[in-house]
Amino acid sequence: MLPFASEGPGSTDVVTALFTSTSAVCVTGLVVVDTASHWTTFGEVVILGLIQLGGIGIMTFASVVGLLISRRMGLRTRLSAAAETKAVGLADLRRVVTGVVTVSLLVEALVAVVLFLRFWLGYDEPVGRAAYLGVFHSVSAFNNAGFALYADSLVRFVTDPWVCVPIALAVIFGGLGFPVWFELRREIGRPRAWSMHTKMTVSVTAVLLVAGTVFVTASEWSNPDTLGAMSAPGRIFAGFFHAVMPRTAGFNSLDVGAMNDSTLLGTIVLMFIGGGSAGTAGGIKVTTFILLFFVIYAEVRGEERVNAFDRQVDDRVIRQALTVALLSVGAVVGATLLLMSLTGLPMGPVLFEATSAFATVGLSTGITFDLPTSAELVLVGLMFLGRLGPITLVSALALRERHRHYELPEGRPIIG
């Protein structure tokens, strides 16, 4: 709210400053004012700092919670978990935090160098401005924030691989999560030795990226307002980039508001699933999504136990996944109903906006700028809930153990 943080006279109002700060710390990317034109360089640096602290803080917090959960397990369960995940103990807490910070800064630096060279050599930006653009978009991409210093996000770079590919790779890498990086660094050439978590995260991420690319490209192929005017390779490339962004980055190289309803619905599904655990991505996480798939698969086959990737899934983990998924659905649906009553807008764009906020994505059909103050405050709460809610909920469920000393009679209600 400081006067020299914004370009216009006076200071930014409380709600706008709160919305922008929450969006930055929660690495979402939704904005109610144009980042490049409203904020001064000082304001942009503040946003950049919030993105960096929010991204590293969330990854560190999630990793530490994972260690605390393993510490509270019984001896047999802890030994099994240690063998399965190759997890570190509490004595290695400093190594975990140092690893998160080191990997984050290293990836951001590499992507920033590539973007700097492209902006400098390819777009004739002055050296200082090119370096600033490279750093800002690199940090925003790796932390899955989606803040851009262009009014059209990355639409002007829709077919430029030297801008879109580094940003897409940073988004994917940031969304995998620190536990996956840690394990891949040691076992990159031995996929069979990967833990169940790493196998789930990597395989489901790959499947969603491929499926998302095919879906978006096919759905928008003939839409003149998005992919229709491009060459075939350009359409596929732009489709891939849009399929990456619901991993919860929020950059867009296509006009989201001009997309077909089918594409918007598919994007909502991808946003809700999100990325990997203990990373910068939001959503219910790919592990939750694939666990629910295996639960359905086991039930359809009539199997008593749920198995995945040559492992038997613990019943408590299944209950946690169901709890996270259903409460997340409730949060999105409840927020959508509230936003519809506050704005009078149709369900489609409101549902898209609510999912984008809860999953900390940042994509929008364009309604964010026109929302009333009450609706902006709802999105503020939704971004905060979506960023910390799933982590806090799972840790609370895992750390709270209650042993009943008796068993109740079994009941079988009719289902369906």
Side-chain angles (χ1 to χ4, degrees):
M1 291 177 61
L2 294 173
F4 49 85
S6 56
E7 295 284 2
S11 60
T12 302
D13 64 275
V14 177
V15 176
T16 299
L18 174 63
F19 190 100
T20 306
S21 299
T22 305
S23 185
V25 171
C26 296
V27 292
T28 304
L30 286 175
V31 293
V32 291
V33 293
D34 179 54
T35 304
S37 61
H38 181 84
W39 305 105
T40 61
T41 301
F42 171 80
E44 293 169 0
V45 171
V46 170
I47 292 173
L48 187 67
L50 293 175
I51 292 171
Q52 185 72 86
L53 291 174
I56 291 179
I58 289 296
M59 285 189 291
T60 304
F61 173 65
S63 299
V64 170
V65 165
L67 294 178
L68 291 175
I69 291 174
S70 66
R71 190 70 172 178
R72 286 289 300 273
M73 295 176 180
L75 177 60
R76 179 178 298 177
T77 305
R78 284 173 57 190
L79 290 174
S80 299
E84 166 63 21
T85 63
K86 287 86 173 175
V88 293
L90 287 178
D92 296 310
L93 184 59
R94 179 179 298 179
R95 185 155 62 100
V96 170
V97 176
T98 302
V100 169
V101 176
T102 301
V103 171
S104 300
L105 296 181
L106 178 61
V107 175
E108 290 171 355
L110 292 174
V111 175
V113 169
V114 176
L115 294 178
F116 156 69
L117 293 174
R118 184 56 177 168
F119 289 135
W120 177 37
L121 301 176
Y123 294 94
D124 297 324
E125 293 281 1
V127 174
R129 175 66 178 173
Y132 177 64
L133 290 172
V135 171
F136 189 97
H137 290 95
S138 173
V139 173
S140 184
F142 176 77
N143 290 286
N144 281 213
F147 279 86
L149 295 180
Y150 298 97
D152 61 356
S153 189
L154 300 180
V155 172
R156 66 189 65 190
F157 307 113
V158 61
T159 57
D160 187 345
W162 291 102
V163 173
C164 291
V165 170
I167 288 178
L169 291 178
V171 169
I172 294 171
F173 197 76
L176 288 177
F178 180 74
V180 175
W181 313 335
F182 189 81
E183 188 169 342
L184 289 180
R185 186 186 67 176
R186 292 180 289 104
E187 307 286 357
I188 187 63
R190 300 171 57 208
R192 291 189 176 183
W194 294 355
S195 67
M196 177 191 290
H197 174 76
T198 297
K199 289 178 180 178
M200 283 183 170
T201 304
V202 173
S203 60
V204 177
T205 297
V207 169
L208 290 177
L209 288 176
V210 174
T213 301
V214 173
F215 170 76
V216 173
T217 305
S219 180
E220 295 294 316
W221 187 267
S222 58
N223 186 344
D225 297 322
T226 54
L227 299 181
M230 301 180 190
S231 63
R235 295 178 191 184
I236 297 173
F237 181 74
F240 163 75
F241 189 81
H242 183 76
V244 172
M245 292 307 109
R247 311 302 305 156
T248 77
F251 293 107
N252 63 284
S253 61
L254 300 171
D255 183 1
V256 177
M259 289 181 173
N260 297 321
D261 290 341
S262 58
T263 309
L264 294 178
L265 179 59
T267 304
I268 288 174
V269 173
L270 291 174
M271 291 193 297
F272 187 75
I273 295 173
S277 302
T280 55
I284 63 171
K285 306 299 187 295
V286 294
T287 46
T288 302
F289 170 73
I290 193 62
L291 270 179
L292 296 180
F293 168 81
F294 280 115
V295 169
I296 296 173
Y297 181 73
E299 187 63 27
V300 170
R301 289 172 57 89
E303 297 178 353
E304 294 184 0
R305 304 291 299 178
V306 177
N307 302 307
F309 296 95
D310 300 322
R311 293 290 187 275
Q312 181 175 285
V313 182
D314 185 80
D315 289 340
R316 291 196 64 195
V317 177
I318 295 173
R319 294 199 299 269
Q320 291 167 14
L322 287 169
T323 303
V324 169
L326 292 178
L327 288 180
S328 298
V329 169
V332 172
V333 171
T336 300
L337 291 173
L338 182 57
L339 288 172
M340 288 175 65
S341 66
L342 293 174
T343 64
L345 294 170
M347 184 186 69
V350 173
L351 177 60
F352 192 97
E353 199 82 5
T355 307
S356 181
F358 178 79
T360 67
V361 178
L363 291 173
S364 175
T365 57
I367 67 172
T368 318
F369 291 92
D370 301 321
L371 293 177
T373 300
S374 56
E376 291 179 7
L377 292 176
V378 171
L379 291 180
V380 166
L382 202 56
M383 287 188 289
F384 192 82
L385 175 65
R387 180 67 275 183
L388 289 180
I391 300 174
T392 307
L393 176 62
V394 171
S395 61
L397 292 174
L399 293 174
R400 184 184 183 187
E401 295 183 2
R402 296 181 60 185
H403 298 285
R404 192 188 296 269
H405 297 290
Y406 60 91
E407 294 290 339
L408 296 173
E410 186 178 89
R412 287 183 176 271
I414 299 174
I415 301 299

